[in-house]
């Protein structure tokens, strides 16, 4: 998909069609809008089978605690010279061990880019499943000692905010949750009088006004449940947690049934544990590329569930078909509350890829008697 410099947009960059004009602000950006790029890690097993995973990051990269924008050209030499030799000769009998090893590679006293760790661990999970002649979901279930799902996980359709025909198609298809759309510009997307930190921006972080506004949205969407992701984006994690806590307390006090989803400043496994322990939200979107190794995603889902915080197993429109398929196997093994459709914002394609991969896998599991 694309990368976007969210800080430049927040600073007032003007939209011109799909793109924004002006100078980028965040490190690594040459323009405010840039095409996303990936590195595909392809592993050839000794019996000739092929496994692969894709190194990719999110659209709003480089902000709210995330690694700098991932540019494949800047990282490909490192992957070939430093990562490839470490992969050669790996024994493909324990994904968890391998994932931990490759998720903890450092370069210049810092963990390597989350996108690289993400792609390499995808490829390793795929490779271990091929080596053991089972599905990726079964590998996770076996190694983490958890029960596989016996039905597909609900999907939240990620839609283009302005494409009403697309949203109509999602309604015709009766998707489980609708819609997931990005609201980044106060003036154009919600007005000065729906959310990506823009509610906080609109009301200048007045949490009483923010809670009242969300209550009005809840009334407008009744009788449907309303889930709001990142109504505020604070300057740092501590302020984000405090803002979520105040907003949630006021919503509860006023009797508004609005569920808050944490996303920004909640990137790593440690971040997710912190937001969970602070009880500041109803759901956490575990944005898979942000966690680096997919072993962290698995651990994060299990931690949230253990502590009774609901989970949206998400990601980014900037992901690929392969990373999305692998996410569906994580979902079948770990049972989050719902999945975010990906890749892209076309709706149809993301829902198709996830739905079909889950359906195929469940059929295989049913035939082999692996469903619990």
């Amino acid at each position: 998909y694309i990368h976007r410099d969210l800080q430049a947009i927040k600073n007032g960059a003007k939209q011109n069609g799909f793109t924004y004009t002006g100078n980028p602000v965040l490190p690594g950006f040459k323009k405010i809008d840039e095409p996303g790029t990936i590195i595909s890690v392809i592993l050839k097993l000794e019996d000739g089978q092929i496994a692969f995973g894709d190194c990719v990051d999110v659209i709003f990269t480089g902000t709210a605690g995330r690694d700098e924008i991932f540019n494949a050209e800047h990282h490909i030499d490192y992957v070939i010279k430093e990562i490839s030799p470490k992969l050669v000769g790996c024994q493909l009998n324990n994904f968890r061990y391998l994932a931990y090893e490759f998720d903890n590679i450092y370069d210049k006293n810092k963990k390597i880019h989350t996108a690289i760790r993400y792609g390499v661990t995808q490829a390793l999970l795929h490779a271990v499943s091929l080596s053991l002649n089972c599905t990726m979901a079964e590998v996770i279930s076996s190694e983490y000692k958890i029960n596989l799902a016996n039905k597909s996980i609900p999907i939240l359709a990620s839609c283009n905010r302005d494409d009403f025909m697309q949203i109509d198609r999602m309604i015709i298809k009766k998707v489980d949750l609708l819609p997931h759309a990005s609201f980044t510009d106060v003036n154009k997307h919600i007005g000065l009088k729906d959310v990506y930190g823009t509610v906080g921006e609109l009301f200048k972080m007045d949490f009483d006004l923010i809670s009242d506004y969300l209550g009005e949205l809840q009334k407008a969407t009744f009788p449907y449940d309303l889930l709001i992701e990142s109504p505020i984006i604070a300057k740092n994690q501590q302020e984000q947690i405090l803002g979520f806590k105040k907003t949630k307390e006021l919503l509860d006090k006023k009797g508004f049934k609005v569920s808050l989803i944490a996303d920004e400043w909640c990137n790593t496994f440690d971040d997710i544990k912190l937001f969970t322990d602070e009880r500041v939200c109803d759901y956490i979107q575990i944005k898979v590329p942000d966690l680096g190794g997919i072993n962290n995603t698995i651990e994060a889902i299990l931690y949230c569930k253990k502590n009774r915080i609901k989970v949206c197993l998400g990601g980014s429109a900037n992901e690929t078909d392969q990373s999305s398929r692998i996410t569906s196997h994580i979902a079948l093994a770990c049972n989050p509350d719902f999945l975010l459709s990906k890749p892209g914002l076309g709706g149809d394609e993301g829902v198709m890829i996830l739905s079909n991969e889950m359906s195929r896998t469940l059929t295989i599991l049913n035939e082999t008697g692996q469903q619990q």
Side-chain angles (χ1 to χ4, degrees):
Y1 196 62
I2 59 163
H3 290 128
R4 269 201 167 133
D5 183 340
L6 182 61
Q7 192 57 55
I9 296 171
K10 292 291 187 186
N11 288 357
K14 301 300 181 183
Q15 190 167 9
N16 180 17
F18 182 77
T19 62
Y20 286 83
T21 58
N23 296 320
V25 175
L26 292 173
F29 276 86
K30 296 178 181 178
K31 297 180 179 179
I32 295 175
D33 307 274
E34 297 185 12
T37 59
I38 70 158
I39 295 172
S40 200
V41 178
I42 305 172
L43 307 180
K44 185 175 182 180
L45 282 60
E46 61 184 359
D47 62 0
Q49 296 188 91
I50 301 294
F52 65 101
D54 293 332
C55 303
V56 64
D57 60 352
V58 300
I59 296 171
F60 295 125
T61 184
T63 188
R66 297 188 177 102
D67 280 356
E68 190 174 297
I69 182 174
F70 181 72
N71 186 312
E73 290 184 356
H74 296 166
H75 293 277
I76 186 66
D77 286 344
Y78 178 84
V79 172
I80 291 171
K81 294 175 182 178
E82 301 294 333
I83 303 299
S84 294
K86 292 180 172 63
L87 288 163
V88 175
C90 285
Q91 295 297 311
L92 298 174
N93 54 11
N94 189 304
F95 160 73
R96 199 169 180 177
Y97 170 80
L98 290 168
Y100 179 84
E101 179 181 347
F102 281 88
D103 188 55
N104 284 281
I105 295 176
Y106 285 75
D107 181 43
K108 299 176 182 176
N109 298 316
K110 181 183 178 182
K111 272 192 174 184
I112 59 175
H113 200 289
T114 49
I116 298 174
R117 293 184 277 131
Y118 183 38
V120 171
T121 54
Q122 290 171 47
L124 288 169
L125 177 60
H126 191 194
V128 170
S129 74
L130 293 175
S131 176
L132 299 178
N133 194 30
C134 65
T135 66
M136 290 180 276
E138 288 172 278
V139 172
I140 299 168
S141 172
S142 173
E143 294 193 15
Y144 289 85
K145 296 178 171 52
I146 49 180
N147 293 334
L148 291 161
N150 56 17
K151 61 181 180 180
S152 291
I153 306 301
I155 296 175
L156 166 61
S158 193
C159 297
N160 188 313
R161 180 187 56 255
D162 301 317
D163 190 342
F164 300 113
M165 291 186 181
Q166 178 195 57
I167 296 173
D168 279 350
R169 292 198 305 276
M170 297 302 101
I171 294 171
I172 291 171
K173 294 180 180 184
K174 294 184 171 21
V175 295
D176 303 289
L177 295 92
L178 183 77
H180 181 82
S182 182
F183 298 80
T184 54
D185 187 305
V186 168
N187 292 288
K188 291 186 176 181
H189 301 163
I190 61 176
L192 288 172
K193 245 283 303 188
D194 275 18
V195 179
Y196 213 90
T198 43
V199 174
E201 192 178 338
L202 173 61
F203 295 111
K204 303 186 185 305
M205 301 301 264
D206 183 319
F207 299 105
D208 197 48
L209 292 176
I210 290 171
S211 60
D212 284 341
Y213 178 73
L214 296 181
E216 289 300 311
L217 293 182
Q218 186 243 315
K219 293 175 184 177
T221 58
F222 183 82
Y224 300 103
D225 294 335
L226 177 63
L227 284 65
I228 296 287
E229 179 184 299
S230 296
I232 62 171
I233 300 180
K235 295 178 181 178
N236 57 57
Q237 188 182 68
Q238 185 177 5
E239 290 183 15
Q240 184 80 351
I241 289 172
L242 182 61
F244 258 77
K245 185 175 290 186
K246 288 182 177 179
T247 303
K248 191 174 188 309
E249 287 173 352
L250 286 166
L251 288 171
D252 292 342
K253 181 180 179 180
K254 296 174 182 180
F256 297 138
K257 294 181 179 179
V258 179
S259 295
L260 297 181
I261 305 177
D263 177 5
E264 301 305 302
W265 291 110
C266 189
N267 305 321
T268 68
F269 184 22
D270 286 339
D271 294 338
I272 290 167
K273 287 194 286 187
L274 179 59
F275 274 72
T276 298
D277 294 344
E278 291 287 341
R279 317 296 298 180
V280 298
C281 56
D282 304 283
Y283 291 79
I284 289 177
Q285 188 198 155
I286 297 176
K287 191 166 275 188
V288 191
D290 283 344
L291 278 81
I294 57 174
N295 52 309
N296 299 318
T297 290
I298 296 165
E299 297 278 5
I301 299 170
L302 299 181
Y303 188 87
C304 288
K305 291 180 63 175
K306 180 181 178 182
N307 290 279
R308 300 185 302 281
I309 292 291
K310 295 179 179 179
V311 175
C312 163
L313 182 55
S316 176
N318 196 45
E319 294 198 57
T320 69
D321 58 330
Q322 178 69 348
S323 69
S324 300
R325 289 188 180 97
I326 291 174
T327 299
S328 73
H329 282 265
I330 296 172
L332 288 175
C334 298
N335 280 278
D337 293 273
F338 61 90
L339 276 164
L340 176 64
S341 72
K342 58 183 186 178
L345 289 177
D348 304 279
E349 298 84 359
V351 170
M352 173 194 68
I353 288 171
L354 294 177
S355 296
N356 289 350
E357 188 69 18
M358 286 192 287
S359 294
R360 295 184 190 110
T361 304
L362 288 166
T363 299
I364 293 167
L365 295 175
N366 187 57
E367 287 299 313
T368 57
Q370 293 302 309
Q371 286 184 327
Q372 303 295 322

